[in-house]
Amino acid sequence: MKDIKVSVLIANYNNEKYLNECINSIKKQTYQNVEIIIHDDLSSDNSIEKINKYKNITIIKNKKRGKYGSYNQMNAYYRAFKKSNGEIIFLLDSDDFFKKNKIKIITDIFLNNKKTVSYT
């Protein structure tokens, strides 16, 4: 089986207290060819300091936050997507987490289900 690259795009705004669980849920995945890109939407808590404690994470720091939360979230994912290199993209909010095998299960489905997924 081909070991394809996976990108996990994380939108963050003032979720410092959840970031460890969120990031560790990606770092501890059984599937390892994963890049993590976190878009921070001008958090006023210590989110950036917490993220900086981890290695191999790309951080995008937004300099101007809009007044609509859903627009800010979509902008975060869009900007992170433009930086991503993965063949499979996962979206994750910073106050959520993945179960340990999630990326492997989805990647296996992606690679083994040619009828549903077009893979080049």
Side-chain angles (χ1 to χ4, degrees), residues 59-86:
I59 304 171
I60 301 169
K61 297 177 188 175
N62 196 17
K63 293 181 178 16
K64 184 176 181 186
R65 181 170 166 76
K67 63 180 180 176
Y68 301 107
S70 56
Y71 172 77
N72 294 331
Q73 184 180 31
M74 291 310 300
N75 183 52
Y77 287 131
Y78 175 73
R79 291 181 70 202
F81 176 77
K82 289 182 10 180
K83 292 230 181 233
S84 68
N85 294 306

Side-chain angles (χ1 to χ4, degrees), residues 10-25:
I10 301 173
N12 179 64
Y13 176 67
N14 284 342
N15 277 323
E16 169 192 7
K17 67 181 180 179
Y18 303 108
L19 277 168
N20 283 335
E21 184 175 18
C22 176
I23 293 169
N24 287 331
S25 79

Side-chain angles (χ1 to χ4, degrees), residues 2-60:
K2 185 179 175 191
D3 190 28
I4 64 174
K5 185 166 208 154
V6 169
S7 298
V8 179
L9 314 180
I10 301 173
N12 179 64
Y13 176 67
N14 284 342
N15 277 323
E16 169 192 7
K17 67 181 180 179
Y18 303 108
L19 277 168
N20 283 335
E21 184 175 18
C22 176
I23 293 169
N24 287 331
S25 79
I26 305 306
K27 294 276 189 182
K28 294 178 180 177
Q29 288 290 307
T30 55
Y31 191 87
Q32 292 295 305
N33 193 10
V34 177
E35 72 174 345
I36 301 172
I37 302 172
I38 299 179
H39 183 282
D40 183 76
D41 205 14
L42 204 60
S43 291
S44 58
D45 63 3
N46 291 318
S47 291
I48 294 296
E49 290 81 4
K50 190 158 278 195
I51 296 166
N52 281 330
K53 292 180 181 179
Y54 290 89
K55 295 180 182 175
N56 301 320
I57 293 180
T58 300
I59 304 171
I60 301 169

Side-chain angles (χ1 to χ4, degrees), residues 103-114:
I103 294 176
K104 180 170 180 5
I105 290 168
I106 299 300
T107 302
D108 287 347
I109 291 169
F110 181 82
L111 291 173
N112 296 314
N113 198 348
K114 303 294 184 195

